[in-house]
Amino acid sequence: MTVVKVGLVGTSWWVDAMYLPALENNPNVELTAICGRNRDNAQKMADRWGVTHVFTDYNDMIDAQLLDAVLICTPNDTHYPITMKALNSGVHVLCEKPIALSYAHAEEMVQLAEKTGLKHAVPFTYRFMPNVRYIQELIEADYIGKPYHLNMRYYTGYARDGNYMWRFDAKKGGSGVIGDIGAHFLYIAEWLYG
């Protein structure tokens, strides 16, 4: 069995709720390193999940040559530089969407991954959530018949406190809701309904 040494860049609730539980329970993965801007937050997450190495600079984490792959779970404007650093260092990449703030950068990332022969992917994690998988099973089993309408909603408490959030900053977030949560909805709609 091949064990992949994985590092994460990002310490958000999403990393804690989605990625770390899945990685911890995968026998083919060794959680090797985590990187976050705030060392205390990164250390707390590392302690909770048993991650050995903690970094505050993704360059240092990648340069330490501890990783086979990196998961990039950071604000959208950082996806391009982190991905390019990883690929140029021989590290496989799973990068949250949108992968870049411009088509030119996205294309450059894909071209470098293909040139180096490294694996590169964008996760559509909502596909693996139990409620979505159950709906897909019901459709495949013809239990609910052919669906003609899909109504999806996303409830969250974003921006209720008035504090700055990078998601609402076009220079960091990019395309807005369509490139962020909307991409999940479009993917799920195509997957479930064709």
Side-chain angles (χ1 to χ4, degrees):
M1 170 178 12
T2 301
V3 175
V4 179
K5 294 178 181 176
V6 174
L8 290 110
V9 185
T11 56
S12 68
W13 68 270
W14 187 245
V15 169
D16 200 32
M18 178 59 70
Y19 288 110
L20 287 167
L23 293 169
E24 181 187 53
N25 291 311
N26 187 325
N28 296 349
V29 169
E30 179 185 329
L31 286 168
T32 305
I34 192 161
C35 179
R37 292 173 293 189
N38 180 301
R39 179 145 189 104
D40 290 339
N41 289 344
Q43 188 64 57
K44 286 176 189 171
M45 193 168 281
D47 292 344
R48 185 168 50 253
W49 292 99
V51 180
T52 309
H53 303 280
V54 177
F55 296 88
T56 57
D57 185 324
Y58 70 86
N59 290 294
D60 294 339
M61 184 176 82
I62 293 169
D63 288 342
Q65 298 183 342
L66 300 167
L67 311 176
D68 300 314
V70 65
L71 277 65
I72 303 169
C73 310
T74 55
N76 302 343
D77 65 323
T78 65
H79 295 174
Y80 171 78
I82 300 170
T83 296
M84 296 303 281
K85 170 70 177 184
L87 293 173
N88 279 313
S89 300
V91 176
H92 303 284
V93 173
L94 184 137
C95 182
E96 271 289 345
K97 50 71 196 127
I99 64 170
L101 297 185
S102 72
Y103 175 81
H105 278 171
E107 182 64 21
E108 192 178 339
M109 294 158 76
V110 170
Q111 293 298 323
L112 181 58
E114 291 176 357
K115 178 182 170 187
T116 59
L118 293 165
K119 303 289 184 200
H120 56 102
V122 176
F124 281 93
T125 49
Y126 280 57
R127 176 182 180 147
F128 300 99
M129 291 186 169
N131 59 329
V132 176
R133 297 201 66 82
Y134 184 59
I135 292 168
Q136 192 263 347
E137 288 175 20
L138 294 174
I139 291 170
E140 275 190 357
D142 203 28
Y143 184 80
I144 60 174
K146 180 172 175 53
Y148 290 95
H149 178 78
L150 175 66
N151 183 358
M152 299 178 83
R153 296 176 188 267
Y154 189 78
Y155 297 101
T156 183
Y158 292 153
R160 291 187 179 266
D161 60 10
N163 291 331
Y164 171 83
M165 286 188 67
W166 66 264
R167 291 183 188 287
F168 301 127
D169 184 336
K171 291 179 182 160
K172 291 187 175 287
S175 60
V177 72
I178 292 298
D180 202 321
I181 193 65
H184 286 293
F185 287 177
L186 294 170
Y187 177 83
I188 290 168
E190 192 281 329
W191 180 55
L192 295 178
Y193 292 4

